[in-house]
Structure formats: structure tokens, C-alpha cells
Amino acid sequence: MIEPFQAPFMARALAEVALLALICGPVSVFVFLRKLSFVSDALTHTVFPGVVIGFVAGGLEGLFVGALVAALVTAVVLTLLTRGGRLSDDASTAVVLTAMFSLGVVLVSRRSSYTSDLTSFLFGRLLTVTPQQLAETAVLAVVILTLLAIGARALVFRAFDPAGAAAAGYRIAWLDLWLNLMVALVVVAAVRAVGTILVVALLVVPAAAARMVTARLPVMAAVGTALILFSGYGGLWLSWTASIDYGVSLTSASAVVLLLVASYVVLLLLSFLKGSRRELVG
Amino acid sequence: MLGYAGVSVGYQGRPVLTGVDLTLEAGQRLALVGPNGAGKSTLIKSLLGLVPVLDGTATVLGRAPAEARDQVGYVPQTDALDAGFPVTAAQVVMMGRYRRIGWWRPARGADRQAVRAALDLVGLADRAGKHFGTLSGGQRQRVLLARAIAAEPKLLLLDEPFNGVDVVSQEAILRVLRELTATGTALVLSTHDLTVARDLADIVCLVNGRQWAAGPPATTLTTDNLRLTYGGHAIDLADGRTVLVDP
């Protein structure tokens, strides 16, 4: 079970997943509390054209910058669009999502290596993570966890009772921007490793799965992180074993996400077996 | 404590409630009475600076409403909240301390003490660790009241605190409100329960799109005033009382 990770590229892939686990566990709790699954989905799609433009302009380094710019712009635009309930979260999010994703496809289809480029943008390249990429993810992790530590209390208050939080003097629009920016940064951190499509799984599944076994927020975050770690290790091992021992090509990032979803299903079944949800929240 | 003179409040320049003239001193209880959609919640939100004052002069604790928020407690309607949200009663009450605690530092002993005292006051000390969603509607309302109390406000605002609340909780809430005002806290609550308004309030303010009457309950909750406020929904009974039909 250890042997595959003696290969440096496998060790780096595992380290990348571990860093993502550290940030995605806690951030997914807020995505869950605010019911922002769809917004996260939109962010991953709007980052896509940024990724393409960045890659065309400056290769892998440009890709990172392109993703960062696109994610930050989207976070601001989504916050403004949904501010004061002028547009429903769903409608405005869907408009931004589809427009940006189409733009990305148009841009990438102009390249000669269309298919392989598209695949790596959408599903990531977990096995080609470089030491520099690892360092960048680590920096982003520090930034995200710091933002989270500062804002956590206010963000929980806002998620539970927006009117009460506003009455207490919190500026709701700023808190929404704060969370959207954190989600955007997570997308940027994860996009090269797991791609724009699969990153949404890391933002939605961990907390949703953890909620089955606990109603305590810090425990939810920890369980979410543990689930990503487990799925990351298991998924990488599976894709290695499938490829080396059986000659079956299994995309590692997809294997990781499939395991994550499988653990969600297992916890769901367990919670059913344990009885009604009332016991869990009581 | 509270001074409104010729005030209109509303959204996007359009007034919801006009002609509000009110003054409230420390320890006084004000009941806003009127039918659904009369502008009671809007007036309460204007006291927090969350809805703009379109006309007239409005002060809360001698300041502009938005600048007095740190001294003003707010109890929202419980049905606006998600019962499935994973927080305990004590965590909800702790939210009342967040602005004092600030962004960085963890909660101190004084904060936990304030939370315990507030839960104790509303009679729910034994439910501190219970999940908010498992409490009854009345208990949830008491938890939200405890949250406002934990912030130690000088002015307390309650939006329909007796909606969907059982008799036990209603009695508990009324007792706490009387205790708070006895120590100098001023109170504004909206209700369409005339009995509560009559029994609890020092000042009753009848509103429906505009302020129709304001003053002590005995001279304000008259048949004529209720007719003005509620239109045809106010029915006179043979014994001289007035009841409201489907307000």
C-alpha cells in the first residue's frame, strides 16, 4: 500500500491532495451551510476560460494566473449580482456559468491540440504536479485558512440568520464576498490537479458526507478533511494498481473523486441504518 | 432612548409607513400593532438602520439608527430560520456576543457566563447543548431572545415574538420582558395580539401604512382607532369590546 508512493510523482500527487484536503474540508462546511453548491459549480466553470486564456498566453504558469484572475472576478460579479436579492442566486449563477463555460470551449477549440488540452483542463493532471505547483498550493492553503479563521464566526452567524447578523452590525455583502473569494481561491488551488469539473466535488461532497455523522461544525470540517485524505490516498493507489498490475488506464483525479462519492454513499447508508436523522441532530 | 418625528420609512424611495411620531424612554415598553403588511417589521428594521428613513428625523439612543446597532438587540421571527442548521442553543446565544468578542480572539469566560445567564433567564439552561432545530417553536423564540439579551442591549426589538409560540413560552417571554424593562432596557415589539399589547405595553402605536394613533393602551386601543387601523376587520361586540376578524 506504500510502494506506489515511493515514486516521486506519486508522492507529490499525494502531498497535493493532502493540502487540498486541509482547505476543502473546512471550506466545504461553509459551502454546505450557505447552500452554495451551485455557486461553487459556477465558479469552477467560470475559471475555465481563465485557465484557457492563461495557458495560451503563458503555458502552465499562465494557467495559474488566468485561473486566479477569472476566479476573483467571478467571486466579485456573483456577489454583486446576488446582492440584496435583486436576482435569485440560481438564475444569475446559471447565466454566469453557461456564458463563461461556452467562452472557454470556444477558446480551447481554436487550438490544434484541442482534445488533450480540454481533457486536462476539465479533469486535471494530478500525476504531473510539480514542486513549484505544490508550493503555490501551500501558499494558497495558508491564505485560505487564515481568511477562514478570521471570518468563521461571522460567516456561521450570517449563514444561520442573515437578518440577525445584519442587525448585529455585520455587512452581509462583504461576508458573502469573503466566502465567495475563499471558494474561488480553493478552485484556483485545486484546478490544475483535479480540473475544473472535479474540483466541485471537493467543495460539496466532504461536508455533505460529514453531516451524516455529526452536527458539530468543527467535527464536520475534520471529517471532511479526513474523507478527502482517505479518497486521495485510495484513489491514487487504485489508479496506480489498475495501471501497473492490470494495464487498465484509470484517471487518478477521477478515481479520487469516485472514492469520495463512494464514501458519501457509505455514510448515507450508515446513517439510514442508524435510524432517523433526528438522532443525529439531537 | 428613541425619537421619531414625522418619519417615513420604506424601500427604494417608496414609503411603506409614513407619519411616525414616537418617543420612548428607558424602561418603557412600546407595542406596534397593526395587520399583516402594515409596516411593523419595516419600522423595526428602520430602528436598526437596515431600512432607510425617507423623511423626518429619527434617532436611536441619540444617534442615527445604523450607528446605534451595538446597543440595540434584535429578535427576529423564528420561522425565518433554517431548523436543520447544525448549531446548539448555546451556540446561537453566543452569536449575541460575537460583536464584543471581535474577529480574532476566542470566547472568554465572561462570554460563556453571559450565555449561561441569558439561557437561565429565559428558562432554558437545561437545553443549552440541544440542537436548535429540535426545540419547539416557543423554545426557539426564547433562545433568540436569550441571544439578544447576551448582547446586553439598551433597546430591545422583537418582531412578532408570540407567533407560533405555546402558552408556556409566551408566559416565559412576557416575564423576561418585564424583568428587562424593570432594569432600564427599553422595548419595542410588534404584535397583532391586542391583549398582549394592552397588558404589556406602556405605549401602543397603531399602524397600517401610516401611524393612526399612539399613546397609552387605555386611550389608544379604542374602537374608533381600531376601525381606522383595521378598516372593516374591526367588529364591535355587544359588551362594548372590539374584536378583529381575519386581520
Side-chain angles (χ1 to χ4, degrees):
Chain A
M1 295 294 275
I2 307 287
E3 188 225 332
F5 298 99
Q6 284 163 353
F9 73 93
M10 284 293 280
R12 282 199 296 272
L14 187 62
E16 175 79 5
V17 170
L19 282 171
L20 294 178
L22 271 182
I23 50 178
C24 289
V27 173
S28 75
V29 170
F30 289 91
V31 170
F32 176 83
L33 291 179
R34 286 289 318 284
K35 303 182 172 68
L36 286 184
S37 303
F38 192 45
V39 167
S40 312
D41 195 26
L43 263 168
T44 60
H45 285 73
T46 53
V47 163
F48 181 54
V51 165
V52 177
I53 293 169
F55 183 69
V56 172
L60 278 175
E61 271 317 293
L63 189 155
F64 180 75
V65 176
L68 188 63
V69 171
L72 297 182
V73 168
T74 312
V76 173
V77 169
L78 280 179
T79 310
L80 289 175
L81 280 178
T82 54
R83 201 175 149 214
R86 250 170 276 167
L87 267 174
S88 86
D89 287 9
D90 277 6
S92 47
T93 307
V95 169
V96 175
L97 183 161
T98 45
M100 295 297 274
F101 194 66
S102 309
L103 179 64
V105 173
V106 168
L107 288 170
V108 80
S109 65
R110 295 177 56 79
R111 289 179 57 80
S112 53
S113 51
Y114 173 49
T115 319
S116 72
D117 283 356
L118 187 65
T119 311
S120 69
F121 294 148
L122 293 180
F123 304 110
R125 290 191 173 168
L126 188 51
L127 298 181
T128 59
V129 169
T130 62
Q132 188 189 341
Q133 239 176 293
L134 264 182
E136 285 162 358
T137 310
V139 170
L140 278 174
V142 170
V143 171
I144 292 164
L145 290 176
T146 307
L147 283 174
L148 192 72
I150 298 171
R153 263 200 292 249
L155 290 169
V156 171
F157 195 168
R158 183 261 176 269
F160 174 64
D161 179 7
Y170 288 109
R171 289 171 181 268
I172 302 302
W174 285 106
L175 290 178
D176 290 354
L177 180 62
W178 194 311
L179 181 55
N180 283 344
L181 284 176
M182 281 197 300
V183 173
L185 290 178
V186 170
V187 172
V188 173
V191 73
R192 281 176 299 185
V194 297
T196 52
I197 302 291
L198 296 181
V199 62
V200 72
L202 297 184
L203 280 164
V204 173
V205 179
R211 182 66 183 88
M212 314 271 184
V213 291
T214 179
R216 294 188 53 213
L217 299 179
V219 181
M220 267 173 80
V223 171
T225 293
L227 283 176
I228 302 175
L229 276 176
F230 161 77
S231 317
Y233 179 85
L236 284 168
W237 179 84
L238 261 181
S239 68
W240 169 280
T241 309
S243 156
I244 300 290
D245 296 348
Y246 301 99
V248 180
S249 168
L250 182 59
T251 320
S252 47
S254 311
V256 171
V257 169
L258 275 177
L259 268 187
L260 190 59
V261 174
S263 60
Y264 172 84
V265 173
V266 169
L267 288 178
L268 183 67
L269 291 174
L270 276 179
S271 81
F272 272 128
L273 287 177
K274 266 180 75 177
S276 70
R277 285 176 63 103
R278 279 174 58 84
E279 285 179 21
L280 294 169
V281 296
Chain B
M1 190 60 66
L2 168 63
Y4 267 39
V7 167
S8 297
V9 294
Y11 299 91
Q12 280 144 15
R14 259 180 294 166
V16 173
L17 184 58
T18 60
V20 181
D21 287 293
L22 289 171
T23 53
L24 192 68
E25 303 301 327
Q28 280 192 317
R29 299 186 282 254
L30 169 73
L32 297 170
V33 177
N36 288 331
K40 302 190 294 284
S41 295
T42 309
L43 184 60
I44 286 183
K45 290 206 168 117
S46 81
L47 291 167
L48 290 159
L50 297 176
V51 170
V53 169
L54 304 175
D55 203 7
T57 55
T59 57
V60 175
L61 299 156
R63 286 176 278 173
E67 283 155 25
R69 274 182 210 155
D70 54 344
Q71 308 273 335
V72 179
Y74 171 63
V75 182
Q77 298 191 38
T78 40
D79 52 15
L81 303 179
D82 172 14
F85 200 93
V87 279
T88 63
Q91 283 167 339
V92 172
V93 179
M94 186 61 92
M95 289 175 189
R97 302 291 295 181
Y98 280 0
R99 292 321 300 255
R100 281 167 189 270
I101 295 171
W103 296 88
W104 272 111
R105 76 169 177 86
R108 293 198 182 116
D111 301 311
R112 282 186 287 273
Q113 179 57 37
V115 168
R116 268 196 301 272
L119 274 170
D120 201 30
L121 191 63
V122 299
L124 291 175
D126 57 333
R127 303 293 159 93
K130 289 281 177 205
H131 188 270
F132 184 75
T134 63
L135 302 175
S136 74
Q139 289 171 332
R140 282 182 217 168
Q141 192 69 57
R142 283 147 76 189
V143 169
L144 293 177
L145 176 59
R147 182 179 76 182
I149 292 169
E152 299 168 31
K154 290 185 172 155
L155 172 66
L156 185 60
L157 313 174
L158 302 97
D159 197 355
E160 298 284 357
F162 305 111
N163 265 10
V165 167
D166 53 283
V167 179
V168 176
S169 285
Q170 173 156 341
E171 288 305 315
I173 292 170
L174 285 169
R175 174 182 53 76
V176 172
L177 295 182
R178 288 202 171 88
E179 283 180 35
L180 282 174
T181 46
T183 60
T185 309
L187 197 73
V188 176
L189 67 90
S190 66
T191 181
H192 43 239
D193 187 332
L194 296 182
T195 313
V196 165
R198 190 174 282 123
D199 293 349
L200 182 71
D202 303 303
I203 303 167
V204 174
C205 178
L206 287 169
V207 293
N208 188 5
R210 53 164 280 196
Q211 177 179 312
W212 290 97
T219 55
T220 308
L221 289 173
T222 61
T223 303
D224 287 345
N225 283 339
L226 288 172
R227 276 199 180 287
L228 283 171
T229 310
Y230 284 87
H233 295 293
I235 308 286
D236 299 329
L237 297 181
D239 62 1
R241 287 184 300 144
T242 304
V243 294
L244 301 174
V245 183
D246 190 28

